[in-house]
Amino acid sequence: MVRTDDQHMVGELVAPEISELIASKQNRQARAALMELLEPEVADALMAMDTKLRAIAFRLLPRSRQTDVFVLLPEDQQEQLLEELSTEQIVHLINEMEPDDRATLIEEMPGELVTRLLSLMRPEQRRQTQIVLGYPPESVGRLMTPDYLTLRPDWSCREAIDHIRTRGKSVESIETMYVVDERGRLIDEVRLREVLFADPDDKVETLMDGQTASLHAADDREVAVHTMERYDMPALPVVDRDDLLVGIVTFDDVADVAEEEATEDFHKLGGVEALDQPYLSTSTATLVRKRVGWLAILFGAGLLTVSAMGAFEKHIDALPLLAVFVPLIIATGGNSGFQAATLMTRAIALREVEPRHFGRVFQREMLGGLMLGLILSAFGFVMATGVGMWMYSGEEAMFLRSAHVGLAVGTSILAVVLFGNMAGSMLPFLLLRMGMDPATGSTPFVATIVDVAGLLIYFTIATLILGI
């Protein structure tokens, strides 16, 4: 669940006070302090406590709030809490969880604990959990809940309202209800408001407009994010391959997915494997393991840069001033590529750009890279010329030599920025065509490619212009 910084600070600020109250056996005061907090704030406070105190604080919460707080905790702290709670407390906690949250918990826990949890569930809860677990890990089926209201098209609105009164307390949302046929196939959806304000004798089918968006249980969960964003709906029905209604996905579940996917993309853009837990809950060894792979690959690729520098050693000996501008050339090209890769990866993730737009994107980035290169190359020419005049002051043909150096640097910047822009914008398309996540390695690959290519471009142009 998304929490604001202020809420996060509230939980952390009160954690020491609550811990002190519990340690001094003032449980009534500790409970009162917890009751003043919202569920996300309680979760933040618990995360800031020691394991033993966290378990005591959790038990002080009313049972009606325990489940809502529990699902907000990181996986490792959920597991620790389950080890501290009694069997009766675990039974209540597990049976009160939503099926999708329960399935997520079961999926992440060790096998021995999973067996115990399944044995403690009521038969209906166990059946619902096993249904959700039957879908692929990253699918919409893992997000859905089977708690929803269905209506029949031949019911009167009076019958529909009676059904809502009877079944409404046991479902997650009654704002939207789903109309199904005798086989359970989804036909349409109607809003509670429409049923309440309709004539009691009107049929439900008179409220239908034949327009409803739905998800397939086997769809990737990112489809749920894009569909809910497009149609701006609080919940979406989920159907199977036969169009049978099997569940619904709600906004809060989709918001969690959107946050996870965005976090994963940011990690990949930085050349880091996505973390499975919050940063502070992840061990140092795990952080090293998540980072060392890409660092090793890039270290190896960096040897290409060293090789490129070595190949032009005689050029540097002939004109040492060239070496001064190497960091500038590499950094400018790398920054251009990083920007382009970031923009394109995000555009692909949001489906603003698709493979069929390749030609259009190529033209736009070619023009954009040319314009950016011309602007930066002008600065580079002036700066390099000025440095050359300072270093060659008093020498014969000072201005001419400095201008040649400025022209070499400026032209190289133009070429490197253009190359970096094209590499950064086209590589995500290539990864997508290969069936890979465009965020995977886009930025690290671009940095390495542009570094090596930038050196080759720079020294080639300098050779041609300066005649060395």
Side-chain angles (χ1 to χ4, degrees):
M1 177 177 289
V2 180
R3 299 187 293 273
T4 67
D5 290 340
D6 289 342
Q7 288 175 320
H8 189 70
M9 290 177 61
V10 168
E12 288 189 346
L13 287 174
V14 300
E17 177 187 346
I18 297 174
S19 297
E20 186 176 342
L21 290 172
I22 294 174
S24 60
K25 308 298 183 183
Q26 301 181 59
N27 289 348
R28 181 177 299 178
Q29 290 87 336
R31 177 188 172 95
L34 288 168
M35 292 300 294
E36 294 180 1
L37 304 176
L38 300 174
E39 278 79 3
E41 298 167 355
V42 175
D44 289 332
L46 295 181
M47 283 188 275
M49 295 181 184
D50 293 333
T51 302
K52 294 293 184 182
L53 296 179
R54 182 187 305 126
I56 297 173
F58 185 80
R59 285 195 290 264
L60 291 176
L61 293 170
R63 285 193 169 185
S64 59
R65 299 189 70 189
Q66 285 181 349
T67 302
D68 292 335
V69 171
F70 183 83
V71 298
L72 297 174
L73 297 174
E75 170 198 334
D76 59 329
Q77 295 190 12
Q78 288 180 337
E79 186 176 345
Q80 291 170 2
L81 264 181
L82 291 175
E83 293 174 354
E84 298 290 335
L85 299 178
S86 67
T87 299
E88 179 187 359
Q89 291 169 326
I90 294 176
V91 168
H92 171 79
L93 185 67
I94 297 300
N95 286 321
E96 289 300 314
M97 293 176 70
E98 295 295 334
D100 53 333
D101 292 329
R102 199 160 48 229
T104 300
L105 174 67
I106 295 295
E107 183 184 23
E108 301 293 341
M109 294 295 147
E112 182 179 340
L113 184 55
V114 168
T115 302
R116 181 188 178 197
L117 294 179
L118 287 173
S119 67
L120 295 175
M121 293 181 194
R122 293 194 292 264
E124 178 62 20
Q125 275 69 22
R126 188 184 303 116
R127 184 187 68 81
Q128 292 176 345
T129 302
Q130 290 170 336
I131 289 175
V132 175
L133 286 173
Y135 294 102
E138 300 295 318
S139 69
V140 169
R142 286 295 185 94
L143 294 178
M144 70 181 186
T145 174
D147 296 331
Y148 54 89
L149 277 177
T150 59
L151 305 176
R152 296 288 293 276
D154 57 345
W155 286 0
S156 68
C157 289
R158 180 181 289 106
E159 291 175 305
I161 292 174
D162 290 340
H163 180 67
I164 295 169
R165 288 172 176 162
T166 303
R167 290 269 297 118
K169 292 182 179 180
S170 62
V171 301
E172 186 168 346
S173 172
I174 62 172
E175 173 62 26
T176 303
M177 295 159 291
Y178 304 94
V179 184
V180 297
D181 62 15
E182 64 279 356
R183 291 183 54 193
R185 291 180 298 189
L186 179 66
I187 301 175
D188 207 341
E189 64 182 34
V190 295
R191 299 296 177 90
L192 176 63
R193 177 185 179 89
E194 296 172 341
V195 176
L196 290 177
F197 289 102
D199 188 296
D201 295 322
D202 286 348
K203 299 292 185 182
V204 170
E205 61 186 358
T206 63
L207 305 178
M208 295 163 44
D209 59 9
Q211 297 181 352
T212 182
S214 63
L215 300 166
H216 285 275
D219 286 341
D220 188 276
R221 61 184 192 170
E222 287 191 60
V223 175
V225 176
H226 296 304
T227 305
M228 189 162 286
E229 178 183 339
R230 179 178 182 183
Y231 292 99
D232 194 23
M233 300 173 67
L236 286 169
V238 181
V239 298
D240 64 10
R241 66 181 64 182
D242 298 317
D243 286 332
L244 296 176
L245 183 62
V246 292
I248 63 171
V249 172
T250 55
F251 176 82
D252 58 335
D253 296 319
V254 171
D256 290 340
V257 171
E259 181 180 2
E260 291 173 15
E261 294 295 336
T263 300
E264 183 178 343
D265 284 347
F266 278 122
H267 284 153
K268 289 179 177 179
L269 282 171
V272 179
E273 291 184 41
L275 301 181
D276 302 318
Q277 299 176 1
Y279 174 81
L280 292 178
S281 299
T282 303
S283 67
T284 302
T286 301
L287 288 173
V288 171
R289 179 172 57 82
K290 295 285 188 180
R291 298 173 62 182
V292 70
W294 270 116
L295 284 177
I297 293 173
L298 295 176
F299 178 82
L303 296 177
L304 296 175
T305 304
V306 176
S307 300
M309 286 286 291
F312 291 98
E313 183 178 359
K314 64 178 184 179
H315 298 76
I316 297 175
D317 291 338
L319 188 61
L321 181 57
L322 288 178
V324 174
F325 301 105
V326 167
L328 174 68
I329 299 295
I330 292 178
T332 304
N335 291 339
S336 173
F338 181 88
Q339 286 183 337
T342 302
L343 288 172
M344 197 52 52
T345 300
R346 192 59 181 155
I348 291 175
L350 295 175
R351 298 192 176 183
E352 298 172 349
V353 172
E354 299 177 1
R356 60 189 176 88
H357 297 134
F358 178 86
R360 185 178 174 187
V361 171
F362 184 90
Q363 292 177 353
R364 286 172 59 90
E365 292 301 319
M366 177 68 78
L367 178 60
L370 185 61
M371 295 173 65
L372 289 170
L374 287 171
I375 294 171
L376 294 176
S377 66
F379 286 113
F381 171 80
V382 173
M383 181 269 299
T385 301
V387 172
M389 292 181 68
W390 174 69
M391 292 190 67
Y392 299 132
S393 61
E395 295 185 15
E396 186 178 352
M398 174 189 67
F399 178 77
L400 185 60
R401 292 186 64 186
S402 301
H404 283 169
V405 172
L407 181 61
V409 171
T411 306
S412 298
I413 289 176
L414 170 61
V416 169
V417 168
L418 181 58
F419 178 84
N421 205 60
M422 297 308 298
S425 58
M426 295 297 106
L427 185 59
F429 274 104
L430 177 61
L431 293 174
L432 186 63
R433 184 63 60 88
M434 295 169 61
M436 299 172 62
D437 187 337
T440 304
S442 289
T443 302
F445 275 139
V446 167
T448 302
I449 292 171
V450 175
D451 282 355
V452 177
L455 286 174
L456 295 176
I457 291 171
Y458 175 45
F459 285 113
T460 300
I461 290 176
T463 301
L464 294 174
I465 293 177
L466 301 175
I468 55 176

